[in-house]
Amino acid sequence: MFPSTQKPHARLAPSPTGSQHIGNARTYLIAWLSARSQEADITLRIEDIDSPRVKAGAADLILEDLRWLGLDWDHGPIIQTERLSLYEDALRKLKAAELVYPCTCTRGDIAEAASAPHLEHEGPVYPGTCAKRSVSDAATLHRPYAWRFRVNGAPEFMDGFHGPMHIDPRNIGGDFVVWKSAQTPAYQLAVVVDDAAMGITEVVRGDDLLTSTPRQLLLYQALGGQAPKYIHVPLVIGPDGRRLAKRHGDARIASLREAGMKPATLIGFLAWTCGWLAKPAPITTRDLLPLFRLETIPREAFVFTPTMLV
Ligand code: GLU
Ligand code: ZN
């Protein structure tokens, strides 16, 4: 079903749900440097299927941010909402194999039924309330339902940054949603269909997605296709230890650009946070290529305060 390719192929996969901040820039920079140092092709993919969260104009701003930073790409932008039929094909395949079942649970139902402690990112573990249903039961349901994938086990994998990963199956949240409602595939399904269809060989992304990877590997097993190498890199956080957000001050790339910062200044700052420069100094993405190494990136999240950049 999916092409297999020898040529290294990476992707940048931003979600147009708001302005990109320096944490996003750091991850894209690492992804770009890793790709370009292997002479990989890069595809830019706009992950806009989560429509309630998508913001008008955000995708254009992302392209502007990436160009300004000096992060180029060879293919795309590819827009996920234009690829629904591919995701529908994959869902059909999962249904034919009875690997999914219709789930009518609301968030409230799940929170109530779940005895397991809530997971930090994933919410409560799905208690399996609807798992006894088969695919054909969907026709008898008279309320909205999602399609859930039957999880059995969490595949281990070798992360290109964190090393061997053995994630406890309980930490991946149980049977997970692959299709939210009419016309709305879930992230886990869309990302696997796209990475496989594009022949992506390397995925560099934030390590908040580490627990998504076993789910994506299960989908590769179900759908066929060669899983990429995964490299999960630490996030940028605020001084309170939480993910970078508005309350931490303005760390948006667009704001820095509008304030007159030069891209080389920001790249040099990010390069310093990754251990490629001894101190922040202006440098272009091209000039950074020979200095790029994954090993020097600190294991811990980088703690950012906006005063660092003034
Ligand atoms: N679109 C996702 C994000 O911006 C990234 C997904 C991925 O890299 O797999 O968080
Ligand atoms: Zn359910």
Side-chain angles (χ1 to χ4, degrees):
M1 174 179 182
F2 297 120
S4 73
T5 168
Q6 292 307 309
K7 184 164 169 46
H9 193 166
R11 43 66 158 192
L12 302 173
S15 298
T17 51
S19 301
Q20 306 285 297
H21 54 62
I22 66 138
N24 304 115
R26 189 177 189 247
T27 304
Y28 301 144
L29 175 63
I30 299 168
W32 185 91
L33 289 167
S34 179
R36 291 303 188 216
S37 59
Q38 303 166 62
E39 284 166 34
D41 267 16
I42 299 177
T43 290
L44 174 64
R45 184 169 77 223
I46 303 294
E47 304 211 315
D48 62 343
I49 46 165
D50 192 4
S51 43
R53 294 179 57 230
V54 167
K55 302 239 162 44
D60 288 338
L61 201 55
I62 289 169
L63 304 197
E64 211 177 320
D65 288 345
L66 292 173
R67 287 196 187 104
W68 179 76
L69 286 164
L71 304 175
D72 61 353
W73 58 92
D74 310 293
H75 312 285
I78 291 194
I79 314 292
Q80 282 192 322
T81 47
E82 294 172 1
R83 297 165 63 80
L84 266 180
S85 63
L86 278 175
Y87 313 134
E88 283 166 353
D89 287 347
L91 177 65
R92 217 170 288 128
K93 199 166 169 181
L94 296 176
K95 284 187 198 168
E98 287 286 346
L99 287 169
V100 289
Y101 57 84
C103 169
T104 45
C105 298
T106 61
R107 265 175 213 277
D109 294 338
I110 296 170
E112 222 169 89
S115 51
H118 291 205
L119 298 170
E120 197 191 338
H121 299 304
E122 311 299 342
V125 175
Y126 181 69
T129 321
C130 303
K132 55 193 177 302
R133 289 200 187 118
S134 61
V135 169
S136 59
D137 290 330
T140 66
L141 298 172
H142 300 292
R143 51 203 158 124
Y145 57 85
W147 289 101
R148 254 180 217 279
F149 183 85
R150 295 180 195 278
V151 168
N152 68 64
E156 299 178 350
F157 64 100
M158 177 60 81
D159 187 78
F161 184 75
H162 289 283
M165 295 302 299
H166 315 276
I167 294 177
D168 185 323
R170 280 169 305 189
N171 285 341
I172 70 172
D175 294 351
F176 60 90
V177 172
V178 290
W179 202 275
K180 294 195 205 168
S181 60
Q183 309 252 296
T184 314
Y187 157 71
Q188 306 291 358
L189 182 67
V191 79
V192 166
V193 168
D194 282 343
D195 284 342
M198 294 168 188
I200 297 298
T201 58
E202 178 173 288
V203 166
V204 176
R205 61 188 178 190
D207 61 11
D208 54 326
L209 289 169
L210 266 172
T211 53
S212 283
T213 302
R215 285 176 271 186
Q216 293 172 16
L217 292 172
L218 289 170
L219 289 175
Y220 275 99
Q221 288 171 9
L223 294 169
Q226 177 68 44
K229 176 180 182 188
Y230 291 98
I231 300 174
H232 291 88
V233 295
L235 299 180
V236 175
I237 56 175
D240 58 357
R242 297 171 64 189
R243 217 186 273 220
L244 211 54
K246 278 203 189 93
R247 66 178 166 276
H248 298 121
D250 197 349
R252 290 174 300 172
I253 303 167
S255 307
L256 299 171
R257 180 169 69 236
E258 282 153 22
M261 180 177 281
K262 295 273 175 285
T265 306
L266 181 54
I267 295 293
F269 172 78
L270 296 172
W272 165 71
T273 72
C274 292
W276 306 320
L277 294 178
K279 55 182 196 305
I283 189 166
T284 64
T285 51
R286 289 272 155 211
D287 290 342
L288 203 46
L289 268 172
L291 303 177
F292 166 73
R293 290 170 64 208
L294 276 178
E295 306 78 63
T296 58
I297 302 172
R299 312 258 111 198
E300 312 73 43
F302 178 76
V303 182
F304 177 75
T305 45
T307 49
M308 288 174 163
L309 275 173
V310 290

